[in-house]
């Protein structure tokens, strides 16, 4: 187990790393740079041959265990040489990119760079030649499998005696008095290895799998770490009792990975620089950590650094010498207000996130990070500008600036032709990148917010066809936003016309549009994939485009609309199945006198003034009307029988409910169930209008006086089987001729304070009555005979 772990970090990893280097040596950037600068490509070919040779040794070593210190030193020296080669290839790639950005211009510094690269390459080749000559060092193979020993052995096998668990504890970690039973199980995986091997070869210590968190403190780390001098990986994640690391940590010269996340660490010891080969440093959510030591700048092989969620206030200037650093995570470092200018020296940075920090500006030097691929500035709520040289980041593929205070983009954003994800694009009034620069970013995908469209100039060149949003074929979501009243509504409409996206668009948001009519492409049937659309604060528009032609439209949001009409002669929404209108407190009409032939669900919320004007929906299944203030709620649903049910709550215009229902397309003859509550305007429920009604419930309608409109005898209510009237204090009596409901089985009357009599001729007109319940009817005077 232990040997497998060691080799995974050693031989297997390095072998895979070499494969990556082979690909890089054959890349266009490297070969082109050697050819263009007339570098000695013989050295490059020699480097490749030597790496192939040492890779063969590593392939063979993956099944062996290195036991002699001299052999291990050889492997470590080999790793150093390989890492140096990787650093050099990084530098070559950077110089090639820099030359491309600067248009291939030459300077005296270029000759110096050429000489430095050739010198470094020669030194690496010399080192690898020396190591190749020394690769015949003897190694000791240990195994539990006889067949492996017989195949690999060049001398007879020597069988070691197994160590007992007590021997292991006594000889290896004598001072570890807090070793728990689980640690015993951990160490047993290393048996039957010799005690010396155990002392020197433990190179991975996942502490979280060995000791309970409450048993690890500063004393344990002080006792434990100095003894594990061959340690490669150390993780103390979530050990909140650990507040410091000992200076003896300087003995961990082979450490590659250090994770102290969620500890109480206050500082890193200066001797951390002794871990010269450290590649990964993770200090996430270390709430007590406010600074890093200057010595961190000596970690020349550091590739990944994360300080996410720490209280770090600034980065030490010495970090500018971490030339191998590729990933820098500073997310949610809310006390971090600035970055050092020298961050521009980290030429190999590929990924940087400053999400949630309080940074106001980025150093201008960041414009020189030509290898940078991802820059995340989301929720940097104080960020007001980006570096002027952003256009030089030609490898940038992901830029997230959502939730910032940016008001413009730097010049020449159109040069970022590899950009695939751009959250926002801000148009400055007279400065910054124009809308034409945005049009050059043809590989954008996902979602894009375009802000301050009122700043698009009216000059002819500002409205050329090369706005080219239509060419962004992988863009799925587009938000177009204006701010302020327009000076020329025609110009505003012309801008919207030129912003026509690709027909693959799925989500469209238009905010603050100042034109009187929308562009022709909005609502065009070619946009068959649009599933969601919002038209907000378009206060000068008098009519909507034919959105009903959008066959996939599922969500339509239109706050602040006052009247919704469609162009004459144009059928509205022939394919729409569900229509939701919310947050329109001024809306009075919804597609008056129009027919929505496919609509099955209508939901209107927060539209308190929308009273009686609805479209016709012949196959409607469900209608929900709610004013959003708790004052009005109406729900119409289809029953399994194919008929409908109606629930009305706090409907102050209850007198018009039958008209509303019929106007929508649900004829009164299709209603089987009605429930009305808190409808204070209801004086008379027109029972005679619902010939198929089976269930009627009326409650808390304070002004209800009658349940039918005329006093004469009712026609037979042959379908009604349940009638419940609760808490209706003004109900005095039933129709004079009684209730001719031959199928009524249930009648409940509760808390009707002024009810004086029950329906007459109950014995004859209600022959099926099974359940009669009368509660709190203090003025009831007449109980019918029979």
């Amino acid at each position: 187990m232990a040997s497998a772990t060691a080799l995974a970090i050693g031989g297997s990893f390095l072998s895979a790393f070499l494969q990556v280097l082979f690909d890089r040596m054959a890349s266009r950037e490297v070969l082109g740079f050697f050819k263009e600068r007339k570098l000695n490509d013989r050295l490059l070919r020699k480097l490749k041959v030597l790496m192939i040779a040492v890779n063969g040794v590593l392939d063979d070593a993956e099944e062996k265990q290195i036991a002699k210190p001299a052999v291990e030193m050889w492997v470590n020296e080999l790793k150093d040489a390989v890492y140096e080669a990787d650093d050099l290839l990084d530098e070559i790639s950077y110089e090639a990119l820099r030359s491309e950005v600067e248009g291939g211009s030459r300077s005296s510094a270029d000759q110096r760079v050429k000489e430095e690269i050739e010198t470094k390459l020669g030194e690496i080749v010399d080192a690898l030649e020396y190591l190749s000559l020394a690769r015949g060092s003897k190694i000791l193979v240990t195994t539990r499998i006889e067949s492996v020993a017989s195949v690999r052995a060049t001398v007879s096998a020597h069988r070691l005696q197994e160590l007992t668990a007590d021997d292991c504890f006594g000889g290896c970690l004598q001072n570890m008095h807090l070793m728990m039973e689980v640690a015993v199980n951990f160490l047993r995986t290393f048996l039957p290895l010799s005690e010396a091997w155990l002392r020197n070869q433990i190179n991975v210590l996942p502490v979280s799998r060995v000791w309970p968190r409450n048993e690890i403190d500063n004393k344990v780390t002080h006792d434990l770490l100095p003894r594990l001098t061959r340690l490669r990986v150390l993780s103390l994640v979530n050990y909140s009792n650990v507040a410091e690391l000992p200076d003896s940590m300087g003995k961990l010269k082979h450490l590659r990975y250090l994770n102290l996340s969620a500890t109480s660490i206050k500082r890193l010891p200066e001797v951390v620089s002794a871990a010269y080969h450290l590649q990964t440093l993770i200090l996430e959510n270390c709430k007590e950590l406010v600074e890093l030591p200057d010595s961190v700048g000596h970690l020349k092989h550091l590739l990944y650094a994360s300080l996410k969620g720490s209280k770090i206030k600034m980065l030490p200037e010495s970090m500018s010498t971490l030339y191998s650093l590729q990933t820098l995570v500073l997310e949610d470092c809310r006390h971090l207000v600035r970055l050092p200018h020298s961050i521009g020296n980290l030429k190999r940075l590929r990924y940087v996130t400053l999400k949630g920090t309080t940074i106001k500006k980025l150093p201008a030097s960041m414009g020189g990070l030509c290898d940078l691929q991802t820059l995340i500035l989301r929720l940097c709520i104080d960020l007001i500008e980006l570096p002027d040289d952003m256009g030089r980041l030609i490898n940038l593929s992901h830029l997230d600036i959502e939730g910032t205070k940016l008001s413009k983009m730097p010049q020449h954003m159109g040069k970022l032709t590899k950009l695939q994800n751009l959250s926002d694009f801000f148009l400055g009034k007279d400065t910054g990148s124009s809308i034409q620069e945005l049009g050059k970013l043809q590989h954008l995908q996902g979602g894009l917010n375009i802000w301050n469209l009122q700043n698009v100039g009216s000059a002819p060149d500002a409205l050329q066809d090369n706005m080219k949003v239509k060419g962004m074929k992988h863009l799925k979501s587009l938000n177009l936003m204006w701010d302020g009243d327009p000076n020329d509504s025609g110009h505003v409409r012309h801008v919207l016309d030129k912003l026509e996206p690709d027909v693959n668009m799925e989500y469209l948001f238009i905010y603050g549009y100042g034109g009187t009519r929308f562009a022709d492409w909005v609502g065009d049937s070619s946009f068959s994939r649009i599933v969601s659309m919002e038209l907000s604060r378009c206060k000068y528009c008098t009519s909507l485009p034919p959105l009903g032609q959008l066959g996939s439209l599922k969500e339509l949001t239109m706050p602040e609309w006052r009247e919704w009409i469609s162009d004459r002669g144009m059928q509205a929404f022939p394919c729409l199945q569900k229509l939701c209108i919310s947050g329109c407190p001024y809306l009075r009409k919804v597609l008056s006198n129009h027919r929505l032939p496919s609509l099955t669900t209508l939901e209107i919320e927060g539209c308190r003034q929308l009273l009686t004007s609805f479209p016709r929906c012949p196959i409607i299944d469900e209608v929900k009307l709610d004013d959003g203030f708790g004052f009005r709620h109406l729900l119409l649903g289809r029953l399994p029988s194919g008929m409908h049910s109606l629930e009305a709550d706090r409907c102050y215009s209850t007198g018009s409910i039958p008209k509303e229902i019929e106007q929508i397309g649900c004829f009164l003859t299709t209603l089987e169930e009605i429930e009305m509550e808190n409808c204070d305007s209801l004086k008379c429920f027109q029972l005679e209008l619902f010939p198929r009604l089976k269930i009627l419930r009326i409650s808390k309608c304070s002004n209800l006086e009658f349940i039918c409109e005329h006093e004469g005898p009712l026609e037979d209510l042959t379908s009604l089987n349940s009638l419940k009237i609760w808490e209706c204090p003004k109900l005095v009596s039933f129709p004079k001729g009684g209730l001719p409901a031959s199928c009524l089985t249930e009648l409940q009357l509760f808390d009707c304070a002024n009810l004086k009599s029950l329906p007459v001729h109950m014995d004859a007109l209600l022959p099926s009555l099974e359940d009669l319940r009368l509660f709190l009817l203090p003025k009831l005077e007449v109980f019918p005979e029979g």
Side-chain angles (χ1 to χ4, degrees), residues 28 127 131 148 169 257 277 300 366 410 413 415 449 458 474 521 523 527 530 579 587 603 656 715 731 741 786:
R28 177 184 62 85
L131 291 169
V148 173
F169 280 109
Y257 176 100
H277 299 288
K300 303 299 183 183
M366 287 191 71
M413 287 293 291
K415 292 183 178 180
N449 304 320
S458 57
H474 300 289
W521 62 265
F527 289 88
I530 286 186
L579 174 59
L587 185 64
E603 296 183 3
S656 65
E715 295 184 5
L731 180 65

XYZ file of all heavy atoms in Angstrom, residues 28 127 131 148 169 257 277 300 366 410 413 415 449 458 474 521 523 527 530 579 587 603 656 715 731 741 786:
223
model
N 3.111 23.960 -31.810
C 3.349 25.011 -32.802
C 4.119 26.181 -32.192
O 5.020 26.737 -32.824
C 2.003 25.497 -33.347
C 2.117 26.647 -34.344
C 0.733 27.127 -34.749
N 0.004 27.634 -33.601
C 0.122 28.888 -33.144
N 0.974 29.728 -33.713
N -0.595 29.284 -32.108
N 22.340 18.239 -17.381
C 21.879 17.556 -16.172
C 21.270 16.198 -16.507
O 21.520 15.189 -15.831
C 20.867 18.427 -15.436
N 22.443 12.390 -15.408
C 21.534 11.464 -14.735
C 21.358 10.179 -15.531
O 21.176 9.096 -14.963
C 20.170 12.141 -14.517
C 20.167 13.276 -13.485
C 18.863 14.049 -13.540
C 20.386 12.715 -12.086
N 6.669 -12.263 -8.430
C 7.314 -11.001 -8.781
C 8.791 -11.045 -8.428
O 9.661 -10.638 -9.191
C 6.632 -9.822 -8.057
C 7.399 -8.527 -8.286
C 5.195 -9.680 -8.535
N 5.207 0.394 16.606
C 4.995 1.604 17.399
C 6.243 1.982 18.171
O 6.624 3.138 18.245
C 3.828 1.394 18.374
C 2.503 1.560 17.720
C 1.685 0.464 17.495
C 2.090 2.815 17.319
C 0.466 0.632 16.894
C 0.863 2.985 16.708
C 0.045 1.885 16.498
N 2.668 18.687 -1.552
C 1.263 19.088 -1.398
C 1.007 19.417 0.069
O 1.263 18.591 0.941
C 0.360 17.944 -1.868
C -1.122 18.162 -1.689
C -1.912 18.566 -2.763
C -1.750 17.938 -0.466
C -3.285 18.742 -2.614
C -3.114 18.121 -0.304
C -3.873 18.517 -1.382
O -5.229 18.686 -1.232
N 10.196 22.110 -3.309
C 9.500 21.432 -4.392
C 7.986 21.472 -4.242
O 7.282 20.808 -5.002
C 9.959 19.972 -4.471
C 11.419 19.832 -4.758
N 11.975 20.112 -5.984
C 12.451 19.446 -3.947
C 13.278 19.895 -5.940
N 13.596 19.495 -4.712
N 9.617 28.021 -5.740
C 9.740 28.242 -7.180
C 8.945 27.248 -8.019
O 8.673 27.509 -9.191
C 11.212 28.183 -7.593
C 12.111 29.169 -6.863
C 11.678 30.615 -7.133
C 12.642 31.599 -6.461
N 12.213 32.997 -6.642
N -1.367 43.279 -15.203
C -2.084 42.051 -15.520
C -2.392 41.944 -17.007
O -2.674 40.857 -17.517
C -3.380 41.958 -14.710
C -3.152 41.647 -13.242
S -4.672 41.225 -12.353
C -5.049 39.612 -13.043
N -12.448 47.941 -21.496
C -11.219 48.525 -22.039
C -11.217 48.494 -23.571
O -11.993 47.769 -24.200
C -10.118 47.609 -21.477
C -10.751 46.866 -20.357
C -12.198 46.749 -20.689
N -11.157 45.084 -26.922
C -11.656 43.799 -26.447
C -11.869 42.822 -27.594
O -11.886 41.605 -27.393
C -12.975 44.006 -25.691
C -12.831 44.646 -24.319
S -11.979 43.581 -23.132
C -13.191 42.285 -22.889
N -9.872 41.867 -29.661
C -8.699 41.023 -29.883
C -8.770 39.710 -29.111
O -7.991 38.790 -29.379
C -7.427 41.773 -29.489
C -7.101 42.949 -30.392
C -5.792 43.602 -29.971
C -5.432 44.754 -30.910
N -4.143 45.400 -30.518
N -24.796 39.518 -21.009
C -25.547 40.727 -20.665
C -24.873 41.926 -21.324
O -23.678 42.164 -21.099
C -25.575 40.947 -19.150
C -26.125 39.757 -18.398
O -27.076 39.125 -18.830
N -25.523 39.443 -17.257
N -25.073 57.312 -32.788
C -25.979 57.360 -33.938
C -25.247 57.534 -35.252
O -25.874 57.563 -36.312
C -26.975 58.511 -33.754
O -26.288 59.749 -33.595
N -23.426 29.998 -30.674
C -23.484 29.174 -29.466
C -24.031 29.947 -28.261
O -24.085 29.411 -27.165
C -22.097 28.609 -29.148
C -21.544 27.755 -30.243
N -22.042 26.503 -30.542
C -20.532 27.979 -31.130
C -21.359 25.983 -31.547
N -20.443 26.862 -31.927
N -37.427 41.251 -35.723
C -36.954 39.908 -35.372
C -37.515 39.438 -34.024
O -37.561 38.237 -33.750
C -35.429 39.846 -35.347
C -34.745 40.728 -34.335
C -34.249 41.970 -34.525
C -34.478 40.406 -32.957
N -33.688 42.466 -33.376
C -33.808 41.526 -32.393
C -34.731 39.311 -32.151
C -33.399 41.556 -31.063
C -34.320 39.342 -30.819
C -33.664 40.444 -30.303
N -39.993 38.090 -31.820
C -41.246 37.390 -32.035
C -41.334 36.676 -33.364
O -42.344 36.024 -33.654
N -37.343 32.049 -34.485
C -36.774 31.838 -33.151
C -37.590 30.774 -32.416
O -38.171 31.010 -31.361
C -36.739 33.150 -32.376
C -35.730 34.133 -32.887
C -36.065 35.017 -33.896
C -34.442 34.139 -32.389
C -35.134 35.912 -34.401
C -33.499 35.024 -32.879
C -33.842 35.913 -33.889
N -36.804 29.674 -28.459
C -36.931 30.544 -27.289
C -37.942 29.942 -26.323
O -39.087 29.670 -26.686
C -37.345 31.957 -27.696
C -36.164 32.679 -28.342
C -37.825 32.754 -26.478
C -36.408 34.132 -28.646
N -49.422 30.568 -20.237
C -49.157 31.994 -20.195
C -49.157 32.455 -18.743
O -50.137 32.254 -18.019
C -50.223 32.763 -20.988
C -50.164 34.294 -20.908
C -48.825 34.812 -21.414
C -51.316 34.913 -21.694
N -51.601 46.839 -15.572
C -52.183 46.168 -16.731
C -53.697 46.061 -16.580
O -54.211 45.558 -15.583
C -51.572 44.770 -16.879
C -51.983 43.981 -18.126
C -51.491 44.691 -19.382
C -51.424 42.568 -18.073
N -52.007 31.959 -15.903
C -51.717 32.426 -14.552
C -51.446 33.924 -14.588
O -50.566 34.372 -15.313
C -50.509 31.681 -13.965
C -50.730 30.198 -13.778
C -49.544 29.510 -13.139
O -48.574 30.226 -12.785
O -49.572 28.277 -12.997
N -68.728 39.915 -11.547
C -68.387 39.722 -12.960
C -67.734 38.382 -13.223
O -67.347 38.112 -14.349
C -67.445 40.847 -13.415
O -66.209 40.757 -12.723
N -85.489 26.230 -11.851
C -85.559 25.011 -12.641
C -84.829 23.908 -11.875
O -84.020 24.167 -10.984
C -84.922 25.228 -14.014
C -85.653 26.241 -14.878
C -85.040 26.344 -16.255
O -84.100 25.559 -16.556
O -85.477 27.212 -17.028
N -77.187 36.382 4.793
C -78.103 35.442 4.160
C -79.327 35.262 5.074
O -79.198 34.841 6.227
C -77.416 34.093 3.930
C -78.277 33.007 3.275
C -78.666 33.412 1.849
C -77.551 31.669 3.280
N -83.589 20.151 -5.904
C -82.341 19.416 -6.130
C -82.543 17.971 -5.721
O -82.268 17.586 -4.580
C -81.208 20.064 -5.362
N -92.168 17.682 7.510
C -91.733 16.480 6.793
C -90.276 16.209 6.973
O -89.785 15.258 6.415
